Amino acid sequence: MVNILVAEDDINLNNLVCSSLIRSGFSACGCFNGEEALKKLTEEKFGMIVSDVMMPSLDGFALAAEVRRTDKNIPILFITARDDMPSKQLGFSLGIDDYLVKPFVMDELILRVKALLRRADIKNSGKIAIGNLVMDEEEHTAYADGEELPLTVREFDLLFKLLSYPKKTFTRSQLMDALWDYDSSATSRTVDVYMAKLREKTAVCDGFKLVTVHGLGYKAVLK
């Protein structure tokens, strides 16, 4: 069971978030400012942090900066009424993973928590298991029903990236920047060709589909 630290100075919201996390199968521990959060982090093991930004004693920005000095991997989700771009930019520059603006629906919070934990698990283990597909990043192998898929290195990297962020649309430019580096011969058409090959090679996979988002790019959608 994943233990989640909730740092939020609004007592009612803190209790609501904690109870919602517990109902969703997590363990949750509430505290009311950044200093309390840092103390809790030395006392217990947590798999994720959900933090307000504007808190007394030590705000969310300072908390995130302090956490990232010693832990680069624990997912951090900000929940805040601050919806301005400078605040978002500062948060992400400090290393947070997601940003949810108040007021929010509790179901959305739970969805984001699950998505962040899933990405963290993929990052830490280097493996993806969806339906009958199992991918191992270290070995660069992909198996469907125990049969290895004949993926090239770049096909593997492209599929692994899409499946690491299901439902997230990647533009062709984003995929080219991430996977083709400075290969001047690569074009948006190159991405289309690779995606066509991936669809053929993953036709036997039953847990997802690769979707074209017209005018933008591609995404993986779990079935």
Side-chain angles (χ1 to χ4, degrees):
M1 181 184 296
V2 178
N3 193 19
I4 299 176
L5 179 62
V6 179
E8 165 62 62
D9 64 332
D10 183 316
I11 296 176
N12 292 330
L13 181 56
N14 193 310
N15 290 336
L16 181 59
V17 170
C18 286
S19 61
S20 296
L21 289 169
I22 291 170
R23 284 198 302 272
S24 298
F26 302 105
S27 175
C29 175
C31 58
F32 304 102
N33 59 62
E35 286 186 355
E36 286 184 22
L38 289 177
K39 186 172 184 295
K40 287 286 186 182
L41 288 166
T42 65
E43 298 172 344
E44 298 181 45
K45 181 175 177 58
F46 293 96
M48 183 174 177
I49 299 170
V50 176
S51 176
D52 187 16
V53 170
M54 303 307 296
M55 296 184 292
S57 300
L58 195 72
D59 66 18
F61 295 128
L63 172 61
E66 191 64 32
V67 169
R68 284 292 179 246
R69 286 191 180 96
T70 57
D71 191 332
K72 305 296 184 184
N73 297 319
I74 186 171
I76 302 175
L77 168 63
F78 270 179
I79 51 173
T80 176
R82 297 182 63 165
D83 193 22
D84 58 289
M85 185 55 66
S87 293
K88 293 180 180 180
Q89 290 174 331
L90 176 56
F92 285 114
S93 70
L94 291 171
I96 72 164
D97 299 275
D98 203 355
Y99 196 106
L100 184 58
V101 177
K102 301 175 183 176
F104 53 83
V105 178
M106 206 56 61
D107 286 347
E108 182 178 0
L109 172 70
I110 300 302
L111 287 174
R112 295 202 186 201
V113 165
K114 289 180 178 179
L116 289 177
L117 289 172
R118 180 177 179 277
R119 291 172 197 168
D121 183 60
I122 290 171
K123 182 178 180 181
N124 293 332
S125 69
K127 295 180 181 179
I128 291 177
I130 297 176
N132 64 343
L133 174 70
V134 177
M135 301 184 74
D136 188 310
E137 188 176 30
E138 183 177 355
E139 296 180 358
H140 246 70
T141 55
Y143 291 86
D145 289 324
E147 296 290 329
E148 187 168 6
L149 298 180
L151 302 179
T152 66
V153 171
R154 192 159 279 160
E155 288 169 351
F156 178 95
D157 291 341
L158 179 56
L159 183 60
F160 198 91
K161 186 172 187 65
L162 291 171
L163 291 178
S164 294
Y165 299 88
K167 295 185 180 180
K168 175 180 173 62
T169 298
F170 289 91
T171 66
R172 291 172 176 82
S173 295
Q174 287 174 327
L175 294 174
M176 287 173 61
D177 290 343
L179 302 176
W180 275 266
D181 298 321
Y182 299 104
D183 184 352
S184 60
S185 64
T187 66
S188 60
R189 177 58 184 161
T190 305
V191 179
D192 295 336
V193 170
Y194 270 83
M195 288 301 301
K197 291 178 180 178
L198 266 183
R199 284 196 174 105
E200 290 179 9
K201 294 183 178 182
T202 60
V204 296
C205 299
D206 59 12
F208 66 92
K209 59 180 178 179
L210 301 176
V211 177
T212 301
V213 182
H214 294 290
L216 287 176
Y218 297 94
K219 66 179 178 180
V221 177
L222 304 187
K223 294 182 180 178

